[in-house]
Amino acid sequence: MYAEGRSVEIELVAPVETEPVVHRVEDVSEAAATAFAAPRDHRTKLLVAGIAVPVLTLDVFLGVAGRLEYALTFWLAFVVTAVGVLLVGDMGRDLYRMWRLPRHGITVTAESWHKAYGSRVYRYRDTTGVLHAYETRSVLASKELSYDPRDPKVVIHHEDAPARCGMAGGGLYEIGRLVLEALRG
C-alpha cells in the first residue's frame, strides 16, 4: 500500500513472472490516504514493542533484584527459547501443509530435473504455466506434489500416512525429551 497525496495504491501480490495488479483509489482526503497506508507499519511497531518492553523489563528486574549474572544468563535462555519457538512454528506449519495441501491444493506430477548437493531437483508447472522447482532427497524419476493455488511455491511432496505420523510423532517425542532434559537440569 502506498499513499500519494489524495490517492492510495494497493498492489496485489503476484508471482515474480507475472505483472502485478495495482488498484488506485483517487480523490480521498490526504489524511485518510496516509492513515490507510500506515496501519501495517503501526502493527509491526506495536508487535516489536509488545515483545521488547516485557523482555527488557524482565532483564532489568533480574539484574537489579537478582545479580548481574542472572541478567546476562537471561539473554542466553531467551535466545535458546526464541530459536525453539521458531523451530516448533516451522514444524507446525509444515505439518499443517502436509495435511492441507493434498486435500485443498493442486496435485501435479513433477519430473526429475537434476541433482544438486545430494538432493534431486524436480520441476513442475502451475495452472498458469509457470515453471517451478522443488528440491528433496528423493531418488524417484517423478514425484507427486501438491501446491497452494494461491502461492504455487508453497509445495509439499506426498508421503504415505505412516511416514507422516512417524515424522510428527518423532518431532513431538524429541521436543518432549528436550523439555524433560531441561527440567531435570
Side-chain angles (χ1 to χ4, degrees):
M1 274 187 276
Y2 309 100
E4 233 177 65
R6 294 178 45 98
S7 65
V8 176
E9 282 188 1
I10 303 168
E11 183 175 331
L12 301 177
V13 177
V16 178
E17 297 85 8
T18 61
E19 193 69 29
V21 176
V22 178
H23 183 69
R24 189 175 178 91
V25 180
E26 302 278 343
D27 200 27
V28 296
S29 77
E30 193 168 337
T34 304
F36 184 72
R40 185 173 191 175
D41 293 335
H42 183 67
R43 282 184 290 184
T44 302
K45 289 176 186 173
L46 281 176
L47 178 64
V48 169
I51 293 170
V53 168
V55 166
L56 291 173
T57 302
L58 181 57
D59 187 47
V60 169
F61 170 77
L62 289 171
V64 172
R67 298 192 315 223
L68 180 60
E69 298 89 45
Y70 295 167
L72 296 175
T73 305
F74 168 78
W75 287 107
L76 176 63
F78 180 76
V79 168
V80 169
T81 302
V83 168
V85 167
L86 292 174
L87 290 174
V88 168
D90 281 349
M91 185 176 76
R93 182 199 64 215
D94 290 343
L95 288 173
Y96 173 73
R97 286 178 177 170
M98 288 175 69
W99 173 83
R100 183 184 175 279
L101 290 179
R103 289 164 181 76
H104 304 288
I106 295 174
T107 300
V108 296
T109 301
E111 299 300 323
S112 177
W113 185 25
H114 65 86
K115 292 181 182 178
Y117 307 108
S119 297
R120 189 173 295 259
V121 179
Y122 292 84
R123 293 191 330 183
Y124 66 97
R125 290 192 186 275
D126 64 21
T127 55
T128 62
V130 175
L131 194 62
H132 299 277
Y134 178 75
E135 187 175 336
T136 186
R137 294 209 176 269
S138 178
V139 294
L140 302 173
S142 64
K143 192 116 183 110
E144 195 171 73
L145 306 175
S146 290
Y147 68 86
D148 189 335
R150 295 170 293 176
D151 186 1
K153 291 181 185 107
V154 175
V155 63
I156 58 106
H157 64 272
H158 288 219
E159 298 284 356
D160 57 356
R164 283 189 219 157
C165 293
M167 285 189 288
L172 291 173
Y173 169 80
E174 188 62 21
I175 290 170
R177 189 186 70 74
L178 289 171
V179 168
L180 287 174
E181 285 293 320
L183 290 174
R184 288 184 192 145

